[in-house]
Amino acid sequence: MLGSPGRGSVDAIARHVSVTYGREANVRRVGCRREAAGTEHAVLRRLLGASPSGHEVRYATHSLVCGLLARGPLVLAIGDAQWCDEGTLRFIDQLMRATYRQPLTVLLHLPPGLPGPAAATFHELATRDYCTVIDAAGLRPADTARPASDDLAELALREPRLLEVALAAAALGSTDPDLVGALAGLPSKTTGRLLEEAGARGLLPGPLPAHGTPSLLDTLPEAERERLRAQAAEILNDAARPAEQVADLLLEQSTLDRSWMRAVLREAAAAARHDRPAAAVSYLTRLHAADADDAAVRMDLATALIDIDPLAARKHLAHLAGTPPGTGDPLLRAHAADLLRLTSLMVHDSPDTPAALDALLREPDPGRQDGPPTGRARRALAAAPTVSAVSDAAAIPDTSAVPEVSPVSSIPVALTPPTPSTVPVLTDHPTERMVLAVRALRTALTASGPDARETAVADARQVLWSGRPHTAWARVAAARVLALADDTATALDQLQRTVADSAEREETWAECHAASARALVLLESGRAAEAAEAASAASRLSEAEGTSGRSRLASITLAHALVARGDLDRAQEVLLRLDGRRLDDCVWEHHHRLTALALVERGRGRPEQALRLFEQCGAGLAAAGVGNPVFSLWWVHSTELLMRLGQPGAAAQRADFGRQLAERWPTARSTGLSLLARGVSADPAGCVELLTESARILAQSSDRQSHALAELRLGKALLHRSDRGAPARLRAALATAARYGLASVAEQARYALRSAEGRHTLAALSHAERPVAELAAAGKSNRAIADALHLTVRTVEYHLTNVYRKLGIPGRAGLARWFPAHGPQPAEARAPGGTR
């Protein structure tokens, strides 16, 4: 909007848009500052209150905008936009394309002429089809009403041509005199003059959106309105206008009685499939409604729906795959069967255990002829590597039914050896990249040997860099494999790209799925504060888009992050809202939920109940064939609990089990965690060496929480030996925990550090002062202390004065902190998960 600068004009325009929405809109306004023109996302932060940086600010603000739009129309007004930073302008470009057909208006008010700092970006915005450049001085007053129906009836009698031009412009959605004249049956010059008059009388839509204002076409009978739109669509089609513009008019037609209509809808769907899949779904849905027997249209519709609504896609694919043999196209039926199995995996209609993934890879395609492969498939089969899958592992009794702690022997030391299977992967086809993602995920979960990591990572990278996968699920699966392989940076980058791409393409399910997976990877890397924020945003997005019942991973991740931050009450509240009975076939959700429940129990000071849940998690993973040591850290947590419960032998066996798992999936994280568990379960003489090596290796991994824990355990072990290196290790644990929001670890490190500093201070007390201080801390009077130590009262007072000075305390009451055995234990010693 071009006009004189000033806040008043921006407010006036914002009120104008707010009124035209037909109901009260949420208006957020901000004025740009010249000194902040070069600061990335400076205006965006002030406008929406976003605090992260880089990709995070765009993700956080997009989630915020989705939440605001779910509650009503939104207007974002930016004054003095010539000083708006380029990052904010580019985000606005992405946001407008991602919120297609939603009640969002962004107002950029600036003086006439191009702005200096971001001129190129303004040029790009001005060329977008969603952008309109107007003169603010020429706006119609916000309260200008359209003519009433009685006025229109009178206008039809007095000036029928003016009304016909206005109706034609409304039907076409254009004020082009040539197009409007063709529909109204008038010459171009006459049409141009009538358009000007119609605009002056308020018969045409203004340059700003009027979402709440009834359209002029609404005054016509339905049959007449449909006829006029059909003629408008035909004129636009003859004028070679974009197929999508024509198709938008055809969506409201009750019948598609002309062959060109269906051809236009097909062309529009093909054009919108890549950048606007939601629009493609609307076009294909209209085609499917016109002819439900058209298998090709149903297949295209199902394919377009996979990342938007996989449940709806599954219904179409089931219909196509269930076509009796001998009828229809066998290749189309086979392709539908392939996608049906993968879509069922996406919506948890089939389990995602390694055995189920292996069965999915092995299952022959119905509809394909038996016999050896030929051509390209035959060459690919000969060159395809042999991959392994775990067969059904021995079932383990459910430890939740055992009243006492389950013995370590109930968890198998090794999984059942896999059986080979050969799967041809033709990576130049989107569906085959999905199959490759399944294979990578299966290999990573089973972790069948030292070479499994390299095989899974190679497959995952091929999925990510061999072209766009058929669905976001494949990219997310590949990113999960890289995260398990300790390549967290690449995994987070790919997941963030998937979230942004899915938001831009309006693929609601894919956006929620990728956002939830991203939150989990942040959690696994120990970034609890970021994980909690990302999980909360993913949960809000899921609720706003109506997908909350399909994926609970975001809520489970949020519970984990809340435990790490020391908020046990909120974590338990989040977990109680989940229906655990429906998660048994979901390997990721079910076992991460069990781990979260166990961590809450441990934080509540109930180690027996926590250990039982960890054992149940381990038994479930073994039964499902999951052998990856970093998929769930139940074995690390249970090792520590066994030591706390006075079972060092069982703890040593559990740590050795973790060592064997780590050897099958060698990464810095798995190796460091194995050393951590062995160090925790080792005797005092040998634990320091193991913990030192664990801290060194975990420092090279992506897991900040485990690294902080290793430093904490090492610091405590050194403190037990009165080693001077203890404070440095404890300070390192505290710094890492505080940086990443690990409140529970930070609290334990802070208390241990105070104990270490206290020991150093207590060492300054003389042999005569120490017993006096201990008796005083126990509550003895000066006379009682003198009698017990055979001293005079004056000598006792002299020693206590020196003690107060050296310890830096004002008097007797402060002694309990330095001699806790003689007084109430500090709150820090009772920290959740801390040892006493």
Side-chain angles (χ1 to χ4, degrees):
M1 285 134 292
L2 307 178
S4 58
R7 179 184 174 93
S9 57
V10 176
D11 290 346
I13 296 171
R15 287 195 300 271
H16 178 100
V17 177
S18 179
V19 170
T20 59
Y21 270 119
R23 55 189 172 120
E24 185 178 358
N26 181 0
V27 180
R28 295 194 173 202
R29 59 179 62 82
V30 68
C32 300
R33 302 168 182 169
R34 182 172 186 173
E35 60 272 16
T39 304
E40 190 82 352
H41 300 119
V43 176
L44 187 60
R45 296 173 196 276
R46 294 175 54 217
L47 187 63
L48 295 172
S51 59
S53 60
H55 291 288
E56 303 295 331
V57 68
R58 294 196 293 272
Y59 172 71
T61 49
H62 181 269
S63 301
L64 175 61
V65 169
C66 289
L68 294 174
L69 287 173
R71 294 192 288 270
L74 176 64
V75 180
L76 304 178
I78 301 176
D80 294 323
Q82 69 273 19
W83 305 120
C84 186
D85 62 275
E86 186 174 352
T88 296
L89 294 176
R90 293 199 178 279
F91 174 79
I92 290 173
D93 183 26
Q94 297 174 2
L95 182 66
M96 295 305 294
R97 286 182 280 137
T99 56
Y100 178 70
R101 290 181 178 174
Q102 295 192 43
L104 170 67
T105 299
V106 178
L107 306 173
L108 298 172
H109 186 264
L110 63 158
L114 289 175
T121 308
F122 268 104
H123 271 302
E124 294 180 14
L125 287 177
T127 60
R128 303 298 190 195
D129 55 1
Y130 59 74
C131 181
T132 304
V133 180
I134 63 171
D135 186 353
L139 284 177
R140 214 169 47 241
D143 55 353
T144 299
R146 291 185 181 277
S149 57
D150 293 341
D151 298 332
L152 290 176
E154 184 178 353
L155 185 64
L157 292 175
R158 293 185 177 183
E159 301 179 77
R161 293 197 303 175
L162 180 63
L163 182 59
E164 289 175 1
V165 166
L167 289 170
L172 288 165
S174 171
T175 55
D176 186 324
D178 293 331
L179 296 176
V180 175
L183 183 56
L186 297 171
S188 178
K189 290 185 178 180
T190 303
T191 302
R193 178 179 56 80
L194 291 173
L195 283 171
E196 292 180 3
E197 186 174 353
R201 296 194 185 187
L203 294 173
L204 299 179
L208 293 177
H211 297 268
T213 305
S215 171
L216 191 62
L217 292 178
D218 295 337
T219 62
L220 298 177
E222 184 177 352
E224 179 64 16
R225 185 167 61 248
E226 185 171 327
R227 182 195 64 78
L228 192 61
R229 282 190 171 133
Q231 290 180 352
E234 187 170 8
I235 289 172
L236 291 175
N237 187 48
D238 293 341
R241 288 301 176 96
E244 294 171 82
Q245 185 179 355
V246 181
D248 286 339
L249 294 174
L250 297 177
L251 290 177
E252 301 183 29
Q253 297 297 307
S254 59
T255 59
L256 302 177
D257 51 359
R258 303 180 189 179
S259 59
W260 66 268
M261 293 182 174
R262 298 191 182 188
V264 166
L265 285 171
R266 288 179 182 272
E267 183 182 351
R273 178 66 185 91
H274 180 70
D275 296 322
R276 294 173 54 210
V281 167
S282 63
Y283 303 143
L284 292 168
T285 299
R286 183 65 190 89
L287 282 170
H288 177 66
D291 185 5
D293 295 329
D294 191 329
V297 169
R298 187 189 286 267
M299 185 67 198
D300 290 341
L301 176 58
T303 304
L305 279 169
I306 285 179
D307 276 344
I308 297 174
D309 188 351
L311 285 174
R314 187 184 182 282
K315 294 180 181 178
H316 291 295
L317 293 170
H319 180 275
L320 292 170
T323 305
T327 63
D329 185 352
L331 293 179
L332 187 145
R333 187 170 64 252
H335 183 48
D338 290 341
L339 286 180
L340 177 61
R341 292 194 294 273
L342 294 169
T343 307
S344 298
L345 181 67
M346 293 166 58
V347 298
H348 302 308
D349 280 345
S350 62
D352 56 355
T353 63
L357 296 178
D358 186 58
L360 188 150
L361 293 172
R362 294 167 179 270
E363 187 171 345
D365 299 328
R368 292 183 183 173
Q369 297 179 355
D370 296 333
T374 59
R376 185 170 61 91
R378 183 174 185 176
R379 292 192 297 273
L381 180 61
T386 301
V387 296
S388 301
V390 173
S391 61
D392 296 336
I396 299 175
D398 187 354
T399 57
S400 62
V402 182
E404 299 180 355
V405 176
S406 302
V408 179
S409 58
S410 66
I411 306 295
V413 174
L415 299 174
T416 306
T419 56
S421 65
T422 303
V423 181
V425 178
L426 315 176
T427 57
D428 57 345
H429 193 280
T431 306
E432 290 154 355
R433 285 195 290 273
M434 291 178 66
V435 174
L436 187 61
V438 172
R439 190 174 78 175
L441 193 60
R442 187 269 314 269
T443 305
L445 289 178
T446 56
S448 55
D451 297 333
R453 177 181 175 276
E454 286 72 16
T455 302
V457 168
D459 286 348
R461 292 185 184 278
Q462 191 170 355
V463 170
L464 295 173
W465 284 290
S466 62
R468 179 181 174 85
H470 191 69
T471 70
W473 183 93
R475 188 188 293 184
V476 172
R480 281 177 163 175
V481 170
L482 294 181
L484 291 174
D486 219 5
D487 189 358
T488 303
T490 304
L492 287 174
D493 178 68
Q494 290 295 327
L495 290 171
Q496 180 58 42
R497 290 171 183 266
T498 305
V499 171
D501 290 348
S502 300
E504 181 178 343
R505 291 160 52 83
E506 300 178 80
E507 294 172 333
T508 54
W509 180 91
E511 183 182 2
C512 296
H513 180 60
S516 300
R518 177 179 172 275
L520 179 62
V521 174
L522 284 171
L523 176 73
E524 291 171 341
S525 63
R527 296 152 66 175
E530 295 177 72
E533 182 179 351
S536 297
S539 297
R540 290 194 301 268
L541 179 63
S542 182
E543 292 172 2
E545 299 295 350
T547 61
S548 57
R550 304 176 191 175
S551 174
R552 300 173 178 85
L553 187 60
S555 297
I556 296 171
T557 302
L558 177 60
H560 272 276
L562 290 172
V563 171
R565 300 184 69 178
D567 194 345
L568 298 178
D569 293 335
R570 282 189 61 201
Q572 190 168 27
E573 180 183 348
V574 171
L575 291 171
L576 288 176
R577 291 200 297 263
L578 297 174
D579 182 8
R581 294 172 299 175
R582 301 183 61 185
L583 299 177
D584 292 348
D585 287 336
C586 308
V587 168
W588 296 84
E589 298 180 355
H590 176 58
H591 295 94
H592 282 91
R593 174 178 171 272
L594 285 176
T595 304
L597 288 170
L599 291 174
V600 170
E601 292 295 323
R602 188 187 70 175
R604 298 289 190 197
R606 297 190 283 264
E608 292 84 0
Q609 292 88 331
L611 181 61
R612 185 174 294 112
L613 286 167
F614 282 131
E615 297 281 357
Q616 183 179 347
C617 178
L621 288 172
V626 177
N628 194 299
V630 296
F631 177 86
S632 170
L633 304 187
W634 69 272
W635 53 277
V636 179
H637 299 305
S638 60
T639 299
E640 186 173 356
L641 285 175
L642 287 167
M643 287 296 293
R644 186 186 303 184
L645 293 171
Q647 303 181 44
Q653 292 183 45
R654 182 58 44 80
D656 187 64
F657 171 68
R659 178 189 59 80
Q660 296 181 49
L661 289 180
E663 290 174 352
R664 299 154 61 97
W665 186 261
T667 64
R669 187 181 182 210
S670 64
T671 304
L673 287 169
S674 172
L675 289 167
L676 175 61
R678 291 160 58 194
V680 169
S681 62
D683 56 75
C687 68
V688 170
E689 182 179 354
L690 291 169
L691 292 174
T692 301
E693 185 66 7
S694 172
R696 185 188 69 81
I697 294 178
L698 285 173
Q700 305 169 16
S701 76
S702 61
D703 190 347
R704 298 299 88 203
Q705 182 172 14
S706 296
H707 177 226
L709 278 172
E711 294 284 5
L712 175 64
R713 301 294 176 240
L714 176 57
K716 287 186 174 182
L718 293 173
L719 184 61
H720 181 74
R721 294 169 52 171
S722 299
D723 193 297
R724 293 184 177 181
R729 294 294 186 173
L730 294 173
R731 279 192 290 269
L734 177 59
T736 301
R739 179 180 178 184
Y740 294 102
L742 305 168
S744 178
V745 178
E747 188 175 2
Q748 296 178 59
R750 193 175 292 111
Y751 172 68
L753 188 59
R754 278 199 289 265
S755 299
E757 293 172 348
R759 289 192 182 188
H760 178 72
T761 304
L762 290 175
L765 300 181
S766 68
H767 293 292
E769 294 165 349
R770 181 67 178 259
V772 172
E774 290 180 348
L775 291 174
K780 301 290 185 180
S781 66
N782 288 357
R783 170 57 63 184
I785 297 173
D787 292 342
L789 299 178
H790 306 288
L791 301 172
T792 65
V793 174
R794 187 171 182 177
T795 303
V796 171
E797 292 174 350
Y798 172 77
H799 288 325
L800 285 177
T801 300
N802 288 335
V803 169
Y804 299 154
R805 177 178 55 80
K806 291 179 179 180
L807 298 183
I809 57 178
R812 206 182 200 92
L815 290 173
R817 173 188 171 189
W818 297 96
F819 301 95
H822 303 289
Q825 192 180 29
E828 292 86 352
R830 301 189 298 272
T835 57
R836 301 188 178 185

